[in-house]
Amino acid sequence: MIDSIRWIYTNMIDPKLTDIVSALVLIVIGWLLQHYLLKYMIQKIVRFFEKKSKLMTARIIEHFSREIRHAIFTLIVFFSLSIIMESSLFSSLSMRNLLYSLMVFYFFKGVYDVLAYYANHPESFHLDVSKSTKLTPFTLRIVNAFIAIIAIVLIASLWNFNLNGFLTGIGLTSVALAFGVRDTSSHIFGGLSMTLDKPFQVGDYISTEDSKIEGVIQDINL
């Protein structure tokens, strides 16, 4: 089994039983600490900010905390594997890139989770309830898409992946989609214009010029 994974880490030596046991114990302790102790501490911090009426800060910490715990546990696993191999994993370029890739993923996943929460609860995003929240879910979902693209590009750059063909493919696909969904796009921009200009309000009675459609506005969204 050791020989089958030696290509990943060429400096790996045959582990001793005591090293394996020590690494497993460290992994179990690390998992318990991040799953119970660290989770409890983060909950206390969240409640502290809630009592201070800093709800936005509390929600950000709450939805970012899971990825923080995953990042810490990943570092513990890498440290435990270093004990087994009796050498730091950072001496291997591939293992170092793997760790960096995971850290990038955890960071952007945390940001993604925070924005996804506010996209589903747009009323929590504004401190002033009088502000319009109709565009908030739409805007945050667009930002989430850009965050996912940035994360993919950063991880690919760590592995020296050639992005020229990938970006070219995205460009051609975007052009094809632009022609295919131009009617839908016109409706979306029409909805954006209506939301920004606010020519109507909920409760208004409106009708089309030909009077074929008329009624009271119940809701305005995209």
Side-chain angles (χ1 to χ4, degrees), residues 117-209:
Y117 168 79
Y118 282 111
N120 295 323
H121 304 82
E123 69 281 355
S124 303
F125 189 74
H126 298 287
L127 299 179
D128 185 359
V129 295
S130 64
K131 293 183 179 180
S132 173
T133 61
K134 297 182 181 67
L135 287 179
T136 301
F138 179 76
T139 304
L140 292 180
R141 288 186 176 94
I142 292 178
V143 174
N144 268 347
F146 278 109
I147 287 176
I149 294 174
I150 293 173
I152 292 173
V153 171
L154 287 177
I155 293 175
S157 64
L158 288 174
W159 295 93
N160 296 323
F161 181 75
N162 188 359
L163 296 174
N164 293 333
F166 175 73
L167 296 176
T168 302
I170 290 180
L172 295 175
T173 303
S174 300
V175 173
L177 289 175
F179 282 104
V181 298
R182 59 182 182 273
D183 292 335
T184 303
S185 300
S186 64
H187 293 314
I188 291 176
F189 285 109
L192 289 173
S193 176
M194 184 177 296
T195 303
L196 293 173
D197 296 337
K198 297 181 179 179
F200 314 114
Q201 300 293 332
V202 174
D204 291 349
Y205 182 87
I206 63 172
S207 64
T208 58
E209 293 182 356

Side-chain angles (χ1 to χ4, degrees), residues 3-124:
D3 293 335
S4 62
I5 62 175
R6 197 180 295 276
W7 64 273
I8 300 177
Y9 189 76
T10 55
N11 295 329
M12 182 177 181
I13 63 174
D14 294 336
K16 301 176 182 177
L17 180 59
T18 54
D19 293 334
I20 295 176
V21 173
S22 300
L24 291 177
V25 170
L26 184 60
I27 290 175
V28 172
I29 293 176
W31 183 86
L32 292 174
L33 288 176
Q34 65 86 24
H35 188 72
Y36 292 102
L37 180 60
L38 184 58
K39 188 176 182 179
Y40 173 77
M41 293 174 59
I42 292 175
Q43 290 175 349
K44 296 288 285 186
I45 294 174
V46 169
R47 285 194 287 269
F48 170 78
F49 282 107
E50 288 177 344
K51 292 179 180 179
K52 296 292 184 179
S53 298
K54 297 182 178 180
L55 299 181
M56 182 174 290
T57 303
R59 296 289 81 78
I60 291 175
I61 296 175
E62 180 182 10
H63 289 85
F64 212 96
S65 62
R66 181 179 179 183
E67 305 309 321
I68 294 176
R69 292 190 291 110
H70 288 173
I72 292 176
F73 182 66
T74 299
L75 292 174
I76 294 174
V77 171
F78 269 71
F79 181 72
S80 302
L81 293 177
S82 298
I83 294 178
I84 294 178
M85 299 174 182
E86 296 185 1
S87 178
S88 174
L89 291 180
F90 282 93
S91 61
S92 171
L93 179 61
S94 59
M95 299 302 293
R96 189 165 62 245
N97 287 339
L98 176 60
L99 179 61
Y100 292 157
S101 300
L102 290 173
M103 294 299 110
V104 170
F105 171 78
Y106 292 143
F107 174 78
F108 282 98
K109 182 60 168 58
V111 176
Y112 184 93
D113 289 342
V114 172
L115 294 179
Y117 168 79
Y118 282 111
N120 295 323
H121 304 82
E123 69 281 355
S124 303

